[in-house]
Amino acid sequence: MAIGKTLWAIPEGYIPAQSTNGEDSRFVSHEAACLLNANDGDAHITITIYFADREPAGPYRVTVPARRTLHLRFNDMSEPETIPRDTPYSSVIESSLPIVVQHTRLDSRQAALALLSTMAYAAG
Amino acid sequence: MAIGKTLWAIPEGYIPAQSTNGEDSRFVSHEAACLLNANDGDAHITITIYFADREPAGPYRVTVPARRTLHLRFNDMSEPETIPRDTPYSSVIESSLPIVVQHTRLDSRQAALALLSTMAYAAG
Amino acid sequence: MAIGKTLWAIPEGYIPAQSTNGEDSRFVSHEAACLLNANDGDAHITITIYFADREPAGPYRVTVPARRTLHLRFNDMSEPETIPRDTPYSSVIESSLPIVVQHTRLDSRQAALALLSTMAYAAG
Amino acid sequence: MAIGKTLWAIPEGYIPAQSTNGEDSRFVSHEAACLLNANDGDAHITITIYFADREPAGPYRVTVPARRTLHLRFNDMSEPETIPRDTPYSSVIESSLPIVVQHTRLDSRQAALALLSTMAYAAG
């Protein structure tokens, strides 16, 4: 089933440097792009990261298999370079097949965690 | 009044396994799809759940009566199978009539609850 | 400046019955529809509330003057009837002029408040 | 790469007057518009602020350079006037080139921070 678009943008991006209970990976402060590929073929995805004061980083590459979801943590992206903490960024996500993208942050810098989420912007 | 679309997607999905004050159902960590049927007829809805590492689950079936809303907790969906906790998933929601879908999570794993919400993606 | 649409829907709706620091109105658990009227004329707005198990309530009527915003708390809506607490609902918002609608909840049931927000669904 | 629209609206706006740990700028209660300019040219942006009970303020002007993001805190906007705290407002954002806009609030009035975020409304 073809659902979604092939070009997405997330203007908000910020990985907090601190965590409470960070020894448990579930509670590490993190930011994720949730990528749904409802197609019957694999989606090949390219991500570019934009910053306030330097040229963009990337391309980062990931594949979401057919009929699968990937909750990709920006924290874990390391090639071609890691994303700095406590630094504002934006992301643009391009896919070889239509996908749907949702943005989520878990912030556990203080004793009780906070969450935000929004559908990404479907650009085309 | 016909409001909405018949195909919706929610890439983010995650039911936390723990809760604070979980003996009170209002404070159980949960994830919900809020389904508004503003039509004068019943909406017959089918939900498919996508995972990271296995084939999709479903179809789950639910009916929202004419001129009613249903705040459906993914926690409570049990046929054809329950949705595992602490596991990333996505959902696709198809309806026989136009509906509007909003996604909400209440996370009470830590002492103070956290909330997120976003309109689902209207795919068609 | 004409910005927005004349028909909006918010499937999620829930006014928590409890609050922490509720003697300060800013911290009362509440749900709001933020209504932006960027036009040079007044926007006459009608709201209908949908429930899980009864016929809809309304119409509720409110006017947003030209070039003004109104952050309308559902808590304060009383004509033709108040909206019950701890009860799932949805809302449909119709306007005589294009407006933009955003949905926000502040939940202070537990010691630290939680927030959610999303743009409403622009139906037409 | 041209991504986005040139006219955006954010109906929700509210800068809390208090903060916990406010001596650290990261934890000051704040509201931000995250502006992504993926173009190869600078985006010249004009912001108008709408209130409940007075004429709009602005225009506020900011430039986002080519291939950059700006996470603009409404707290820091001072020309032609500062935005009052604890006061509901809305914003309209116009750009000379297509951009993407996301709205975020960090509320640290209580001991644990709360977050909200949503994509802004793409008006044209």
Side-chain angles (χ1 to χ4, degrees):
Chain A
M1 185 160 40
I3 300 179
K5 299 284 183 179
T6 59
L7 180 60
W8 294 82
I10 306 172
E12 172 67 284
Y14 185 89
I15 305 174
Q18 287 101 32
S19 301
T20 306
N21 295 335
E23 66 282 3
D24 182 337
S25 70
R26 295 175 299 170
F27 295 110
V28 171
S29 291
H30 64 267
E31 198 152 62
C34 300
L35 310 165
L36 169 60
N37 175 16
N39 299 284
D40 286 324
D42 295 357
H44 301 285
I45 292 167
T46 302
I47 302 174
T48 304
I49 304 293
Y50 290 80
F51 298 98
D53 53 7
R54 49 157 285 196
E55 286 296 308
Y60 298 84
R61 299 186 192 281
V62 64
T63 295
V64 183
R67 298 179 303 280
R68 294 292 184 275
T69 185
L70 175 62
H71 291 204
L72 177 66
R73 288 193 184 195
F74 289 94
N75 303 45
D76 298 337
M77 290 164 52
S78 59
E79 287 297 330
E81 58 184 294
T82 58
I83 299 178
R85 272 49 178 174
D86 279 354
T87 303
Y89 66 90
S90 296
S91 54
V92 170
I93 299 167
E94 301 177 74
S95 175
S96 62
L97 294 175
I99 60 173
V100 188
V101 179
Q102 187 171 345
H103 169 233
T104 299
R105 184 191 300 158
L106 183 150
D107 182 334
S108 68
R109 290 177 293 183
Q110 297 191 345
L113 60 82
L115 293 171
L116 66 80
S117 188
T118 184
M119 209 56 61
Y121 176 74
Chain B
M1 186 160 39
I3 299 179
K5 299 284 184 180
T6 58
L7 180 60
W8 294 82
I10 306 172
E12 171 67 284
Y14 185 88
I15 304 173
Q18 288 100 32
S19 302
T20 307
N21 295 335
E23 66 282 4
D24 181 337
S25 71
R26 296 175 300 171
F27 295 110
V28 171
S29 291
H30 65 267
E31 199 152 62
C34 301
L35 310 165
L36 169 60
N37 175 16
N39 299 284
D40 287 324
D42 296 356
H44 301 285
I45 293 167
T46 302
I47 302 173
T48 304
I49 304 294
Y50 291 79
F51 298 98
D53 53 8
R54 49 158 285 197
E55 287 295 309
Y60 298 84
R61 299 185 191 282
V62 63
T63 295
V64 183
R67 298 178 303 282
R68 295 291 184 275
T69 184
L70 174 64
H71 291 203
L72 175 67
R73 289 193 183 195
F74 289 94
N75 304 46
D76 298 336
M77 291 164 50
S78 59
E79 288 296 330
E81 58 184 293
T82 58
I83 299 178
R85 270 52 176 172
D86 279 353
T87 303
Y89 66 90
S90 296
S91 53
V92 170
I93 299 168
E94 301 178 73
S95 175
S96 60
L97 294 176
I99 60 173
V100 188
V101 180
Q102 187 171 345
H103 168 232
T104 298
R105 185 191 300 158
L106 183 150
D107 182 335
S108 68
R109 290 177 293 182
Q110 297 191 345
L113 59 83
L115 293 171
L116 66 78
S117 187
T118 185
M119 208 59 57
Y121 176 74
Chain C
M1 187 160 40
I3 300 178
K5 299 284 183 179
T6 58
L7 180 61
W8 294 82
I10 306 171
E12 170 68 283
Y14 185 88
I15 305 173
Q18 286 101 31
S19 301
T20 307
N21 294 336
E23 66 283 2
D24 182 335
S25 70
R26 295 175 300 171
F27 295 109
V28 171
S29 291
H30 64 267
E31 199 153 59
C34 300
L35 310 165
L36 169 59
N37 175 17
N39 300 284
D40 286 325
D42 296 356
H44 301 286
I45 292 167
T46 301
I47 302 172
T48 304
I49 304 293
Y50 291 79
F51 297 98
D53 52 9
R54 48 158 285 196
E55 286 296 308
Y60 297 84
R61 298 184 192 281
V62 64
T63 296
V64 183
R67 299 178 302 281
R68 295 292 184 275
T69 184
L70 175 63
H71 292 202
L72 176 66
R73 289 193 183 194
F74 288 94
N75 305 45
D76 298 336
M77 291 164 51
S78 59
E79 289 294 330
E81 58 184 294
T82 57
I83 299 179
R85 271 53 176 170
D86 279 354
T87 304
Y89 66 90
S90 296
S91 53
V92 170
I93 299 168
E94 301 178 75
S95 174
S96 60
L97 295 175
I99 59 173
V100 188
V101 179
Q102 186 171 344
H103 169 231
T104 299
R105 184 191 300 159
L106 183 150
D107 182 334
S108 69
R109 288 178 293 183
Q110 297 190 345
L113 60 83
L115 291 172
L116 66 79
S117 188
T118 185
M119 209 57 58
Y121 176 75
Chain D
M1 185 161 40
I3 300 179
K5 299 284 183 178
T6 58
L7 180 61
W8 293 83
I10 306 171
E12 172 66 284
Y14 186 88
I15 304 173
Q18 287 102 31
S19 301
T20 306
N21 295 335
E23 67 282 3
D24 182 337
S25 69
R26 296 175 299 171
F27 295 110
V28 171
S29 291
H30 64 268
E31 198 153 60
C34 300
L35 310 164
L36 169 60
N37 174 17
N39 300 284
D40 287 325
D42 296 356
H44 301 285
I45 293 168
T46 301
I47 302 174
T48 303
I49 304 293
Y50 290 80
F51 297 99
D53 52 7
R54 49 157 285 196
E55 287 296 308
Y60 297 84
R61 298 185 192 280
V62 65
T63 296
V64 183
R67 298 178 303 281
R68 294 292 183 276
T69 184
L70 175 63
H71 292 203
L72 176 66
R73 288 194 184 194
F74 289 95
N75 303 44
D76 298 337
M77 291 164 51
S78 58
E79 288 295 330
E81 60 184 293
T82 58
I83 299 179
R85 271 52 177 170
D86 280 354
T87 303
Y89 66 90
S90 297
S91 54
V92 170
I93 299 168
E94 301 177 73
S95 174
S96 61
L97 293 175
I99 59 174
V100 188
V101 180
Q102 186 171 346
H103 169 232
T104 299
R105 184 190 300 159
L106 182 150
D107 182 335
S108 69
R109 289 178 294 183
Q110 298 190 346
L113 60 82
L115 293 171
L116 66 79
S117 188
T118 185
M119 210 56 61
Y121 176 74

PDB file of all heavy atoms in Angstrom, chain B residues 49-66:
ATOM      1  N   ILE B  49      -1.105  -2.798  12.087  1.00  0.00           N
ATOM      2  CA  ILE B  49       0.039  -2.397  12.903  1.00  0.00           C
ATOM      3  C   ILE B  49       1.324  -2.891  12.240  1.00  0.00           C
ATOM      4  O   ILE B  49       1.450  -4.089  11.954  1.00  0.00           O
ATOM      5  CB  ILE B  49      -0.071  -2.964  14.331  1.00  0.00           C
ATOM      6  CG1 ILE B  49      -1.398  -2.532  14.980  1.00  0.00           C
ATOM      7  CG2 ILE B  49       1.117  -2.537  15.191  1.00  0.00           C
ATOM      8  CD1 ILE B  49      -1.523  -1.065  15.238  1.00  0.00           C
ATOM      9  N   TYR B  50       2.261  -1.980  12.023  1.00  0.00           N
ATOM     10  CA  TYR B  50       3.555  -2.305  11.413  1.00  0.00           C
ATOM     11  C   TYR B  50       4.645  -2.321  12.486  1.00  0.00           C
ATOM     12  O   TYR B  50       4.652  -1.481  13.388  1.00  0.00           O
ATOM     13  CB  TYR B  50       3.913  -1.258  10.346  1.00  0.00           C
ATOM     14  CG  TYR B  50       3.028  -1.324   9.123  1.00  0.00           C
ATOM     15  CD1 TYR B  50       1.746  -0.771   9.136  1.00  0.00           C
ATOM     16  CD2 TYR B  50       3.461  -1.955   7.958  1.00  0.00           C
ATOM     17  CE1 TYR B  50       0.928  -0.850   8.011  1.00  0.00           C
ATOM     18  CE2 TYR B  50       2.637  -2.030   6.828  1.00  0.00           C
ATOM     19  CZ  TYR B  50       1.380  -1.482   6.871  1.00  0.00           C
ATOM     20  OH  TYR B  50       0.568  -1.557   5.768  1.00  0.00           O
ATOM     21  N   PHE B  51       5.585  -3.255  12.332  1.00  0.00           N
ATOM     22  CA  PHE B  51       6.669  -3.400  13.295  1.00  0.00           C
ATOM     23  C   PHE B  51       8.024  -3.231  12.632  1.00  0.00           C
ATOM     24  O   PHE B  51       8.118  -3.129  11.398  1.00  0.00           O
ATOM     25  CB  PHE B  51       6.592  -4.774  13.967  1.00  0.00           C
ATOM     26  CG  PHE B  51       5.335  -4.983  14.750  1.00  0.00           C
ATOM     27  CD1 PHE B  51       4.256  -5.681  14.204  1.00  0.00           C
ATOM     28  CD2 PHE B  51       5.216  -4.473  16.034  1.00  0.00           C
ATOM     29  CE1 PHE B  51       3.086  -5.866  14.924  1.00  0.00           C
ATOM     30  CE2 PHE B  51       4.050  -4.661  16.764  1.00  0.00           C
ATOM     31  CZ  PHE B  51       2.980  -5.352  16.201  1.00  0.00           C
ATOM     32  N   ALA B  52       9.083  -3.266  13.434  1.00  0.00           N
ATOM     33  CA  ALA B  52      10.435  -3.112  12.887  1.00  0.00           C
ATOM     34  C   ALA B  52      10.964  -4.408  12.285  1.00  0.00           C
ATOM     35  O   ALA B  52      11.773  -4.377  11.362  1.00  0.00           O
ATOM     36  CB  ALA B  52      11.389  -2.629  13.977  1.00  0.00           C
ATOM     37  N   ASP B  53      10.518  -5.523  12.802  1.00  0.00           N
ATOM     38  CA  ASP B  53      11.213  -6.776  12.479  1.00  0.00           C
ATOM     39  C   ASP B  53      10.288  -7.971  12.253  1.00  0.00           C
ATOM     40  O   ASP B  53      10.716  -9.109  12.367  1.00  0.00           O
ATOM     41  CB  ASP B  53      12.189  -7.090  13.607  1.00  0.00           C
ATOM     42  CG  ASP B  53      11.481  -7.076  14.958  1.00  0.00           C
ATOM     43  OD1 ASP B  53      10.232  -6.973  15.009  1.00  0.00           O
ATOM     44  OD2 ASP B  53      12.184  -7.182  15.975  1.00  0.00           O
ATOM     45  N   ARG B  54       9.037  -7.712  11.947  1.00  0.00           N
ATOM     46  CA  ARG B  54       8.132  -8.809  11.618  1.00  0.00           C
ATOM     47  C   ARG B  54       7.035  -8.284  10.692  1.00  0.00           C
ATOM     48  O   ARG B  54       6.865  -7.080  10.532  1.00  0.00           O
ATOM     49  CB  ARG B  54       7.509  -9.432  12.870  1.00  0.00           C
ATOM     50  CG  ARG B  54       6.905  -8.439  13.843  1.00  0.00           C
ATOM     51  CD  ARG B  54       5.867  -9.058  14.766  1.00  0.00           C
ATOM     52  NE  ARG B  54       4.629  -9.291  14.038  1.00  0.00           N
ATOM     53  CZ  ARG B  54       3.451  -9.521  14.634  1.00  0.00           C
ATOM     54  NH1 ARG B  54       3.380  -9.590  15.951  1.00  0.00           N
ATOM     55  NH2 ARG B  54       2.349  -9.700  13.917  1.00  0.00           N
ATOM     56  N   GLU B  55       6.257  -9.208  10.125  1.00  0.00           N
ATOM     57  CA  GLU B  55       5.158  -8.799   9.259  1.00  0.00           C
ATOM     58  C   GLU B  55       4.078  -8.074  10.068  1.00  0.00           C
ATOM     59  O   GLU B  55       3.974  -8.254  11.282  1.00  0.00           O
ATOM     60  CB  GLU B  55       4.567 -10.031   8.551  1.00  0.00           C
ATOM     61  CG  GLU B  55       5.477 -10.586   7.452  1.00  0.00           C
ATOM     62  CD  GLU B  55       5.648  -9.599   6.296  1.00  0.00           C
ATOM     63  OE1 GLU B  55       4.647  -9.096   5.766  1.00  0.00           O
ATOM     64  OE2 GLU B  55       6.818  -9.323   5.922  1.00  0.00           O
ATOM     65  N   PRO B  56       3.287  -7.240   9.397  1.00  0.00           N
ATOM     66  CA  PRO B  56       2.249  -6.469  10.102  1.00  0.00           C
ATOM     67  C   PRO B  56       1.218  -7.345  10.802  1.00  0.00           C
ATOM     68  O   PRO B  56       0.973  -8.491  10.398  1.00  0.00           O
ATOM     69  CB  PRO B  56       1.607  -5.653   8.968  1.00  0.00           C
ATOM     70  CG  PRO B  56       2.661  -5.572   7.900  1.00  0.00           C
ATOM     71  CD  PRO B  56       3.399  -6.876   7.975  1.00  0.00           C
ATOM     72  N   ALA B  57       0.607  -6.795  11.830  1.00  0.00           N
ATOM     73  CA  ALA B  57      -0.476  -7.451  12.560  1.00  0.00           C
ATOM     74  C   ALA B  57      -1.804  -6.817  12.164  1.00  0.00           C
ATOM     75  O   ALA B  57      -1.878  -5.639  11.850  1.00  0.00           O
ATOM     76  CB  ALA B  57      -0.263  -7.321  14.063  1.00  0.00           C
ATOM     77  N   GLY B  58      -2.850  -7.635  12.229  1.00  0.00           N
ATOM     78  CA  GLY B  58      -4.166  -7.120  11.908  1.00  0.00           C
ATOM     79  C   GLY B  58      -4.841  -7.998  10.880  1.00  0.00           C
ATOM     80  O   GLY B  58      -4.323  -9.079  10.571  1.00  0.00           O
ATOM     81  N   PRO B  59      -5.998  -7.568  10.400  1.00  0.00           N
ATOM     82  CA  PRO B  59      -6.643  -6.298  10.693  1.00  0.00           C
ATOM     83  C   PRO B  59      -7.368  -6.306  12.047  1.00  0.00           C
ATOM     84  O   PRO B  59      -7.966  -7.309  12.442  1.00  0.00           O
ATOM     85  CB  PRO B  59      -7.649  -6.170   9.546  1.00  0.00           C
ATOM     86  CG  PRO B  59      -7.973  -7.585   9.163  1.00  0.00           C
ATOM     87  CD  PRO B  59      -6.712  -8.359   9.395  1.00  0.00           C
ATOM     88  N   TYR B  60      -7.256  -5.166  12.741  1.00  0.00           N
ATOM     89  CA  TYR B  60      -8.080  -4.886  13.907  1.00  0.00           C
ATOM     90  C   TYR B  60      -9.325  -4.146  13.409  1.00  0.00           C
ATOM     91  O   TYR B  60      -9.210  -3.291  12.531  1.00  0.00           O
ATOM     92  CB  TYR B  60      -7.320  -4.001  14.898  1.00  0.00           C
ATOM     93  CG  TYR B  60      -6.070  -4.655  15.445  1.00  0.00           C
ATOM     94  CD1 TYR B  60      -4.879  -4.606  14.739  1.00  0.00           C
ATOM     95  CD2 TYR B  60      -6.096  -5.307  16.669  1.00  0.00           C
ATOM     96  CE1 TYR B  60      -3.731  -5.209  15.230  1.00  0.00           C
ATOM     97  CE2 TYR B  60      -4.943  -5.920  17.168  1.00  0.00           C
ATOM     98  CZ  TYR B  60      -3.769  -5.862  16.448  1.00  0.00           C
ATOM     99  OH  TYR B  60      -2.646  -6.457  16.934  1.00  0.00           O
ATOM    100  N   ARG B  61     -10.478  -4.444  13.942  1.00  0.00           N
ATOM    101  CA  ARG B  61     -11.715  -3.826  13.455  1.00  0.00           C
ATOM    102  C   ARG B  61     -12.461  -3.139  14.598  1.00  0.00           C
ATOM    103  O   ARG B  61     -12.540  -3.681  15.701  1.00  0.00           O
ATOM    104  CB  ARG B  61     -12.622  -4.877  12.823  1.00  0.00           C
ATOM    105  CG  ARG B  61     -11.975  -5.569  11.624  1.00  0.00           C
ATOM    106  CD  ARG B  61     -12.940  -6.535  10.934  1.00  0.00           C
ATOM    107  NE  ARG B  61     -12.240  -7.372   9.968  1.00  0.00           N
ATOM    108  CZ  ARG B  61     -11.852  -6.970   8.747  1.00  0.00           C
ATOM    109  NH1 ARG B  61     -12.118  -5.739   8.355  1.00  0.00           N
ATOM    110  NH2 ARG B  61     -11.204  -7.782   7.931  1.00  0.00           N
ATOM    111  N   VAL B  62     -12.979  -1.947  14.277  1.00  0.00           N
ATOM    112  CA  VAL B  62     -13.758  -1.208  15.254  1.00  0.00           C
ATOM    113  C   VAL B  62     -14.780  -0.374  14.487  1.00  0.00           C
ATOM    114  O   VAL B  62     -14.529   0.009  13.336  1.00  0.00           O
ATOM    115  CB  VAL B  62     -12.845  -0.332  16.136  1.00  0.00           C
ATOM    116  CG1 VAL B  62     -12.131   0.735  15.308  1.00  0.00           C
ATOM    117  CG2 VAL B  62     -13.600   0.314  17.263  1.00  0.00           C
ATOM    118  N   THR B  63     -15.924  -0.113  15.104  1.00  0.00           N
ATOM    119  CA  THR B  63     -16.943   0.743  14.488  1.00  0.00           C
ATOM    120  C   THR B  63     -17.137   1.979  15.356  1.00  0.00           C
ATOM    121  O   THR B  63     -17.255   1.871  16.580  1.00  0.00           O
ATOM    122  CB  THR B  63     -18.276  -0.019  14.361  1.00  0.00           C
ATOM    123  OG1 THR B  63     -18.084  -1.114  13.447  1.00  0.00           O
ATOM    124  CG2 THR B  63     -19.378   0.886  13.833  1.00  0.00           C
ATOM    125  N   VAL B  64     -17.127   3.133  14.719  1.00  0.00           N
ATOM    126  CA  VAL B  64     -17.470   4.371  15.417  1.00  0.00           C
ATOM    127  C   VAL B  64     -18.856   4.772  14.930  1.00  0.00           C
ATOM    128  O   VAL B  64     -19.055   5.049  13.740  1.00  0.00           O
ATOM    129  CB  VAL B  64     -16.454   5.492  15.140  1.00  0.00           C
ATOM    130  CG1 VAL B  64     -16.807   6.739  15.934  1.00  0.00           C
ATOM    131  CG2 VAL B  64     -15.044   5.032  15.476  1.00  0.00           C
ATOM    132  N   PRO B  65     -19.834   4.822  15.832  1.00  0.00           N
ATOM    133  CA  PRO B  65     -21.200   5.124  15.404  1.00  0.00           C
ATOM    134  C   PRO B  65     -21.324   6.535  14.824  1.00  0.00           C
ATOM    135  O   PRO B  65     -20.446   7.381  14.999  1.00  0.00           O
ATOM    136  CB  PRO B  65     -22.008   4.997  16.709  1.00  0.00           C
ATOM    137  CG  PRO B  65     -21.174   4.177  17.615  1.00  0.00           C
ATOM    138  CD  PRO B  65     -19.751   4.505  17.263  1.00  0.00           C
ATOM    139  N   ALA B  66     -22.402   6.795  14.147  1.00  0.00           N
ATOM    140  CA  ALA B  66     -22.686   8.104  13.566  1.00  0.00           C
ATOM    141  C   ALA B  66     -22.631   9.192  14.648  1.00  0.00           C
ATOM    142  O   ALA B  66     -23.137   9.000  15.757  1.00  0.00           O
ATOM    143  CB  ALA B  66     -24.072   8.101  12.916  1.00  0.00           C
TER     144      ALA B  66
END
